[in-house]
Amino acid sequence: MTDASPHAPVLLPEVIEALAPAPGDVVIDATFGAGGYSRAILKAGAEVVALDRDPTVQPHADALANDYPGKFQLVRTPFSGLADAFAETGKARLDGAVFDIGVSSMQLDQAERGFSFMRDGPLDMRMSDEGATAADIVNGWDHGPLAHIFKLYGEERQSGRVATAILRRRVEQPFARTLDLAEVVEKALGGRRGAPIHPATRVFQALRIAVNDELGELERGLEAAEATLAPGGRLAVVTFHSLEDRIVKTFLTERTGNAPAGSRHAPMAVDPRRPSFTLQFKGAREAGDEERSTNPRARSAKLRAAVRTDAPAWGRIDGPIRAGAAA
């Protein structure tokens, strides 16, 4: 058995503490990746049903299936398909679910996937092998929609300027490569000039989120976990930027019965539905100094965790959390 992995799972001890996996438990690793969380859960004696839409993770899944025969399986699906995937396993009870949101270092390191503005590759950014690519978006969308996603998903203050630069350039030649787009964005924003992050960071983040519908997937994945976890089942979610964390925080605030219901102009009232989760701890847990120094992904990571009650699932989230919730 080997523990070698190209992708170090963030906040691993804290996630395992939150999940508390034990022999006889069944846990869903909703974002399998290289299998870091799955391996730790399996070591604790639990069974794992892993989900991932990325076809390149198969070798990591094969290794775990070989190391833990009969206790591990991978389902090729985005995590919005969690409920259906679990139902198809025929297992009676789901005791835990973990989500590690966003792009992995493993994907960033593969230039041919097109996620990185630091490596030349095709402008793809798909986590699966289906659907529209980032090139389709930058070459086909109008100014307004482009500027909108750069502002909403990338929190890019000069979103309009970037969209204008993209439209001007693509008239001469369509975008096909990552470094080509990164260069145009950098010039539009005035170059690096000592900035702590590359000027293209926010634009690439926005494109990746749009290509993969990451925030919509997160909302649907949380709802699926709520509908599938057994009473006492544990939910652990690791996020890496404010948009993701805002969705998780708002979802758990609502589902623990701590959010006001009704119009913001009406007297505040607690939602009459019974809470479907209780928090394991207040706020979010973050990585310690040692992990931050050895794993760059840990610097912005936040863990939120909760336990499923025996109340009915609330169902669809009311309103567009990703667009309007307070941080």
Side-chain angles (χ1 to χ4, degrees):
M1 233 181 257
T2 176
D3 289 325
S5 171
H7 169 72
V10 171
L11 290 163
L12 180 59
E14 291 84 355
V15 166
I16 296 303
E17 179 183 359
L19 291 174
D25 287 351
V26 178
V27 178
I28 279 186
D29 182 351
T31 47
F32 176 69
Y37 293 129
S38 286
R39 184 171 290 277
I41 295 165
L42 289 162
K43 280 185 175 180
E47 295 182 39
V48 171
V49 177
L51 314 180
D52 209 304
R53 53 178 159 173
D54 186 343
T56 69
V57 308
Q58 191 63 51
H60 303 293
D62 292 342
L64 279 184
N66 182 67
D67 289 345
Y68 296 92
K71 304 200 74 172
F72 172 84
Q73 59 181 297
L74 173 69
V75 181
R76 277 285 308 279
T77 183
F79 48 72
S80 59
L82 183 153
D84 290 339
F86 185 73
E88 290 175 6
T89 68
K91 298 182 184 299
R93 174 186 169 94
L94 181 62
D95 301 287
V98 56
F99 294 76
D100 176 358
I101 308 303
V103 68
S104 73
S105 56
M106 182 175 64
Q107 291 167 325
L108 289 171
D109 289 342
Q110 297 170 347
E112 67 274 14
R113 304 297 299 280
F115 287 104
S116 177
F117 47 79
M118 301 298 290
R119 295 177 173 84
D120 188 42
L123 194 56
D124 193 314
M125 299 194 191
R126 293 175 299 174
M127 291 182 179
S128 68
D129 51 6
E130 301 175 345
T133 67
D136 294 328
I137 291 178
V138 298
N139 291 321
W141 286 21
D142 292 337
H143 184 279
L146 278 177
H148 177 69
I149 65 167
F150 295 157
K151 183 177 182 180
L152 180 62
Y153 296 156
E155 299 177 298
E156 173 54 64
R157 295 178 181 177
Q158 300 187 64
S159 58
R161 178 182 294 184
V162 174
T164 297
I166 287 174
L167 264 65
R168 286 176 178 170
R169 211 320 286 280
R170 79 187 192 193
V171 171
E172 304 170 4
Q173 180 183 350
F175 290 93
R177 310 291 294 182
T178 52
L179 293 188
D180 184 20
L181 176 61
E183 182 180 357
V184 169
V185 173
E186 185 174 347
K187 288 181 179 178
L189 296 177
R192 302 185 188 190
R193 299 184 180 178
I197 63 172
H198 191 286
T201 299
R202 296 184 179 90
V203 168
F204 270 62
Q205 173 183 295
L207 286 170
R208 191 199 79 223
I209 290 173
V211 165
N212 298 289
D213 188 24
E214 291 181 27
L215 302 186
E217 276 292 313
L218 177 55
E219 291 178 356
R220 293 187 291 272
L222 292 172
E223 294 160 1
E226 176 193 37
T228 310
L229 282 165
R234 293 169 173 244
L235 173 68
V237 187
V238 178
T239 61
F240 293 90
H241 61 71
S242 60
L243 297 175
E244 300 165 346
D245 183 59
R246 190 175 305 151
I247 289 173
V248 179
K249 177 182 177 181
T250 303
F251 175 85
L252 291 178
T253 298
E254 181 182 69
R255 294 317 205 259
T256 54
N258 294 313
S263 168
R264 64 189 178 92
H265 300 295
M268 293 179 65
V270 176
D271 196 295
R273 288 174 287 190
R274 291 172 55 207
S276 58
F277 283 97
T278 57
L279 294 177
Q280 291 196 38
F281 45 81
K282 288 186 177 181
R285 289 188 176 171
E286 301 181 3
D289 292 339
E290 182 177 352
E291 184 175 7
R292 288 168 179 257
S293 67
T294 58
N295 188 352
R297 289 187 82 236
R299 294 170 190 166
S300 60
K302 291 184 177 181
L303 167 66
R304 296 185 187 272
V307 179
R308 187 71 170 88
T309 70
D310 62 358
W314 288 27
R316 286 293 300 165
I317 294 174
D318 296 328
I321 282 181
R322 57 176 176 246

